[in-house]
Each structure stands twice: as C-alpha cells, then as structure tokens.
Amino acid sequence: MNLPPSTPPGARGRVLSRGSGKEVAADRLARREFLAALARAGAGSAALTALPAWAKQALAAAAPAPVAELIVRNDWPEHWETAIHALGGSWLTPNERFFVRSHFPVPEIDPVTWRLEVSGLVRQPLTFTLEEFGNLPKTDATYVLECAGNGRGLMRLPNTSGTQWGRGAVGNARWRGVPLADLLRRAEPSADARHVWFEAADQAPVPGPPPFLRSLPIEKAMDDVLLADRMNGAPLPRLHGAPLRAIVPGWFGMASTKWLTRVRVEAEPSDNHFMVRGYRYVVPGGDPATSSPVEEIRVKSVITRPLEGTRVKLTGPKPPFTRIQVRGIAWAGPAGLKLVEVSIDDGATWRPAGFTGESEPMSWRMWATEVEAKGLRKVTICARATDLAGNQQPQAAEINGAGYGNNSIHKVTVSVSP
Amino acid sequence: MSARRLAALVIVGSVLAVAAASLAARGARESTARAAAEPAGGGGEISPDLVPKKIAYATELPDSAGRDSVARDIAKRWCLLCHSAMLITQQAKDSAAWEKTLGQMAKWGVAATPGERDTLRAYLVRYFGPR
C-alpha cells in the first residue's frame, strides 16, 4: 500500500499552526493575553464560535493557565487526563474535565443518516434512527470509567508503548441510556449467540490500521451494559462518543465503545487486533493470544488531598493542631468496594477511612480521614482500597509489557507546616 | 495596503479589543461560577482550549542543529499521518523496541523503504531512547 506524503488528514490546529509566519502582525504577548482571556470566558461564550481562524489556532498555544485541570498527553487522537487536583472535587466528574482516550479521530456523524443496528444471530434484527432511539425507555446510572492504561507512566517500564498516563485517566459520570438487555431481548438472540460485537463509526485516517472493534460475552451484555446518549445531564459530547456509546460497568474503558453504530450478535468473540493482541496482560516475552484479556477494573484508590510535594497545615479540634486532613476517591470492579485504609508508616499499620457522599454500584466513592502527624516534619501518606471479593491494592502492581491495570498503592509525601 | 483595507482592519481590531475586555471580566465571573456549579453539563462540544490545561510533552519532533531534517521529514511523512508527535516524544525505548513499533506500523500501511526505516529508527533511538 502506498500512502501520499501529504499533510496528515487527521492533523489539526495545534501541530500545524505553531510557528506559522502568515499570522496577522500583532504583539505576541498582547495576543496571548487576549487569547487567555477568551479561554477563561469558558465554553458557553458565543464569542468563541465567531473567533477568527488565527485566534482559534493560536488559542491552543496561549499561555498555560495557572491551574491545569486537564493534562494533554496526546493532542490527536485525543488522550487527555484529569489532573489529580481536579479529581474528586465532586462525586461526578464534570464533562469538561473527564478524561478522553480515542484511538482514531472523532468521526463526523450525520444525525439524519445515523442508525443503530442490532443484527447478527438474532431472529428480529432492529434498526433505530436517532429519534427512534431517543423515544426508547431510558435508565440512569452512575459508573466509574477508567482507562486500562491509567497509571502506565508510573510503572516506569522500559520499552513500553502508548500513552504514559498518570493517575487521572479515570472519571465518574451519570449516564443515561437504554439497557442493552432490553434491545437484545427484543431482537431475540438465537440459541448459538454467545458474544456481542460493538461496531463504531471511528476509523483510522489511512486505510491500513484495523478498526477499533471490541466484543463482550453475551452474559455481560445482558447484565448491566447501557447504550448511553447522555452524560451528567447533558447530551453525550462528541469526544465521549456522541451520539451513542456503550457503557460497560465494572470493565476498563476500552470496553465502552464510543460512536456506536451496530450491535452484532455472534457465536465467537471478535478477533480484532484490539481483542487478541491489544488489551492483554502479557508478561515480558509472552504471547498476547494466550495471555489473559484486560476486562474488569481493579480495586484502586487515589489521594486527591493533600497533593504530592505540598506543605500542609495541621488541623484538629483545638490547638496544638496535630492532624492532616486526607481525602480521596476509590473504586472497584463488579465485586464492589469494601474499604479504604490509610497508613503513614509505609504500610506497617493501617487505619480505615470513612466514605463520604453518594454511592451506587460500580461508581466511585469519595473518602476522607485524618492522620496524626504530631512531631513530624515530613509525612508519606499511603491509601489502600480493598474490594468485597478480598482483592487489595498491592504495593507494586504486577508488571505486564503494555502497562495495563496499574493499581499500585498511591503514596503522597508532604511537608508539615508547624 | 489600500485605505479601505486598513480601515477594515482597524474596525476588526477595535471589535476584538472590546470583546477581549468584556470577556476578561466575564471570564473571571464565569470561572468562579463554573467551579461552584458542579456537576457541569458539558454539552455537545468540549475542547481542551476551554479548560485550563497542561501540555505534557513536546509537540514538535526535534531536529537539533538542523542535522536531523531528513529523519524528521520521514517521521512527519509517515508517523504523523495517524497521530501527533506527542505520542513519540513521550516514549523512551531502545532500538529493538522501536523496531517492533516500526514493524507494527509497517503492517498497518507505513511503506517506508528499508533505508528510510533505518534512518527513522536511529533518529527515534537518538532522541527517545532509554532514559
């Protein structure tokens, strides 16, 4: 196959606009301030849609804001991570702070011609327009979504590929959608139906790479999978799969196919690259095809306050203050979260934290506690979550070549302000 | 430049200046309001340009002292068809690991000549080798 040596079709503003000499002559600093002001004006600003092209392009290069809520780890396709300080401020992660992971550019979808098909090994194949889908009975549920590669960058693996995520490729959102089980029951799967394939509208900008196609065992598909068209009360954003995505509760994010167009009932699991080679826990030198697939989320907690390297003020009921307030989030796979414990002696002793705020099955939970820091100048706080099946976060997660499922215990070191 | 074009530019300039001033004031209010009103619905469009963000890695492929323009051009021509430079600039892989990546990309349509591939691998190891 020959590819044209031209401008990448998927390439967009940030890469191409940098350093262009054709821009309107203007004082660069003043322009950056103007752009930063525009950026602060927020998503609702009508003025942003009417911006001149140079301003839109240069927005991306505007001076970094003082507090970064999103960390761009890859600009296209979009791999954006939520900064730790922006995680856990609320039970639900606002859409504009929710991590993004796409394999290919966001597809252009025409809402008029868009269809959802349910087909394959079914007696009654189904097709829905956007309007017809909108009229189906909906369910709301809050689920945590975590990228399988979340924490890859912290594993410090030699020679791993892929995005070097920190801890923020995770979020908790309220999803509204149609239970996949409702559609499958209507479609009447035949006796040999065993797997459900999710086909989607996204594709590589060039013909070579395989489509991103995942499948699920039919038991899971019939259990609690949602086909969601709303996220946190808003229409599903394009970056998160509009008009429709699967939400597979308790599984890592790769299972929750975005830009869903077809649900195909099959006898066999998909043999797509992203099933048989990608998303496998492969020990160094191992064969992906015989390695365990990446499926259920692993139990995990993150300390969201205090932040690493900060100086903390002690608190307490009355002076002299001796305690540090600690907060965080924790989640688990289908087994469900049991408890979070905190240690300041590197795991020799642990004390349970208390859960705060709301809870739903397979959502994350917020937790809070305080630790005694009397006489200490420096404290390393560790948080460890345990699920109801008895799985517990390890000191260091087992190594796999692609750095999936890193649920190592989070440790935060702070200095104490007397 | 004609007088008419100059006049048009002046008008555009003052409109933008007024917009900037009002947006700056409004921005301060709105960012506070947004922080307080969680969870916020994101609507149909989200852009990192609208959220305070941090760019984690270099967004351009390096060419120190202009010695690597050939290799960089090969990388731009092939790698950047499907992903940004950031996916490369955040890696730290040895020659064998980069070769594995190039092999995967060749299967997916990168038709670089063997010579180009050698040049590319050496470039990647030089800048994005083991740390």
Side-chain angles (χ1 to χ4, degrees):
Chain A
M1 190 192 72
N2 270 310
L3 300 171
S6 61
T7 300
R12 290 196 287 272
R14 184 171 301 112
V15 172
L16 299 176
S17 67
R18 278 268 160 92
S20 160
K22 294 178 192 163
E23 293 154 348
V24 181
D27 177 79
R28 289 190 73 87
L29 185 65
R31 199 178 62 178
R32 276 158 71 109
E33 283 168 0
F34 164 60
L35 292 164
L38 282 174
R40 283 194 302 271
S45 168
L48 281 175
T49 55
L51 275 184
W54 65 263
K56 274 186 186 161
Q57 286 181 354
L59 249 177
V67 181
E69 293 169 356
L70 283 176
I71 301 165
V72 178
R73 296 209 178 269
N74 194 41
D75 42 8
W76 61 272
E78 294 83 358
H79 299 176
W80 305 343
E81 169 172 351
T82 312
I84 284 197
H85 70 261
L87 274 180
S90 56
W91 187 54
L92 298 178
T93 312
N95 292 357
E96 66 270 21
R97 286 188 202 169
F98 207 97
F99 84 96
V100 179
R101 199 292 190 221
S102 298
H103 289 80
F104 302 124
V106 175
E108 294 294 330
I109 292 175
D110 178 356
V112 176
T113 56
W114 180 89
R115 296 288 183 275
L116 174 70
E117 275 184 35
V118 182
S119 57
L121 300 177
V122 294
R123 290 184 196 90
Q124 305 286 339
L126 309 171
T127 305
F128 301 93
T129 64
L130 210 47
E131 195 186 349
E132 288 163 345
F133 189 86
N135 291 331
L136 294 171
K138 303 291 198 304
T139 302
D140 289 281
T142 304
Y143 296 123
V144 67
L145 212 57
E146 183 186 15
C147 177
N150 193 26
R152 175 184 293 129
L154 304 161
M155 276 186 160
R156 304 193 186 289
L157 298 170
N159 296 326
T160 189
S161 291
T163 291
Q164 304 296 306
W165 299 103
R167 290 191 169 78
V170 62
N172 192 52
R174 186 138 189 90
W175 309 96
R176 166 169 280 199
V178 175
L180 178 56
D182 290 1
L183 300 184
L184 289 173
R185 271 193 290 271
R186 268 178 71 176
E188 300 177 35
S190 57
D192 49 351
R194 293 284 179 278
H195 296 269
V196 172
W197 299 27
F198 290 145
E199 291 182 5
D202 57 331
Q203 52 186 350
V206 294
F212 181 71
L213 194 159
R214 300 269 317 171
S215 69
L216 282 179
I218 200 159
E219 295 77 16
K220 179 66 178 171
M222 290 294 291
D223 184 17
D224 51 11
V225 174
L226 214 53
L227 304 188
D229 62 358
R230 294 183 75 80
M231 177 178 181
N232 286 329
L236 189 66
R238 283 183 67 205
L239 275 167
H240 292 289
L244 191 67
R245 74 175 301 172
I247 294 292
V248 181
W251 283 43
F252 280 114
M254 77 283 141
S256 294
T257 304
K258 303 197 280 191
W259 308 294
L260 186 69
T261 53
R262 194 172 182 205
V263 174
R264 226 168 93 188
V265 181
E266 294 288 342
E268 301 293 332
S270 160
D271 61 354
N272 183 279
H273 170 88
F274 298 101
M275 289 289 291
V276 297
R277 298 197 66 80
Y279 298 106
R280 297 264 175 166
Y281 294 109
V282 185
V283 295
D287 176 13
T290 54
S291 306
S292 4
V294 174
E295 292 178 344
E296 291 182 357
I297 290 175
R298 293 173 167 180
V299 64
K300 191 165 173 177
S301 58
V302 173
I303 299 167
T304 58
R305 292 289 187 284
L307 296 171
E308 174 67 33
T310 53
R311 177 171 284 272
V312 297
K313 263 185 111 76
L314 296 178
T315 61
K318 57 183 196 313
F321 300 137
T322 59
R323 298 174 189 172
I324 301 172
Q325 300 294 320
V326 183
R327 283 194 279 136
I329 48 175
W331 60 95
L337 184 64
K338 185 180 175 191
L339 88 155
V340 175
E341 298 160 294
V342 171
S343 169
I344 56 165
D345 53 14
D346 203 24
T349 56
W350 295 90
R351 289 170 154 274
F355 290 120
T356 61
E358 296 97 313
S359 169
E360 280 186 43
M362 286 176 283
S363 70
W364 76 24
R365 294 213 66 180
M366 300 166 77
W367 55 265
T369 188
E370 44 188 25
V371 296
E372 183 60 52
K374 191 177 177 183
L376 299 175
R377 281 278 159 269
K378 217 169 191 159
V379 182
T380 297
I381 306 161
C382 311
R384 177 180 75 180
T386 305
D387 73 15
L388 287 162
N391 299 301
Q392 196 165 65
Q393 282 185 262
Q395 284 283 346
E398 64 183 37
I399 295 299
N400 63 93
Y404 292 125
N406 183 0
N407 66 338
S408 307
I409 288 173
H410 187 196
K411 300 177 183 184
V412 167
T413 301
V414 295
S415 52
V416 178
S417 187
Chain B
M1 184 185 293
S2 75
R4 248 173 89 181
R5 281 194 67 178
L6 187 63
L9 271 180
V10 168
I11 291 168
V12 168
S14 26
V15 167
L16 286 176
V18 170
S22 75
L23 283 173
R26 198 175 139 195
R29 284 197 307 274
E30 285 195 356
S31 56
T32 318
R34 270 194 303 154
E38 289 178 3
E45 297 301 329
I46 300 172
S47 157
D49 304 341
L50 304 178
V51 176
K53 68 184 187 299
K54 176 180 145 197
I55 305 291
Y57 315 103
T59 58
E60 301 283 349
L61 293 173
D63 178 13
S64 60
R67 286 176 312 169
D68 295 306
S69 60
V70 172
R72 190 175 68 161
D73 286 348
I74 298 168
K76 280 185 174 177
R77 185 148 41 92
W78 293 111
C79 312
L80 303 194
L81 283 171
C82 287
H83 59 79
S84 78
M86 291 177 84
L87 206 53
I88 298 169
T89 62
Q90 64 185 284
Q91 306 301 342
K93 302 198 278 194
D94 63 21
S95 185
W98 276 118
E99 179 55 30
K100 202 174 152 197
T101 303
L102 295 178
Q104 175 73 77
M105 297 305 149
K107 274 187 210 153
W108 288 357
V110 168
T113 65
E116 285 179 325
R117 187 155 150 178
D118 288 345
T119 304
L120 186 52
R121 188 181 53 246
Y123 170 78
L124 293 169
V125 173
R126 184 153 63 249
Y127 287 100
F128 310 109
R131 279 194 282 264

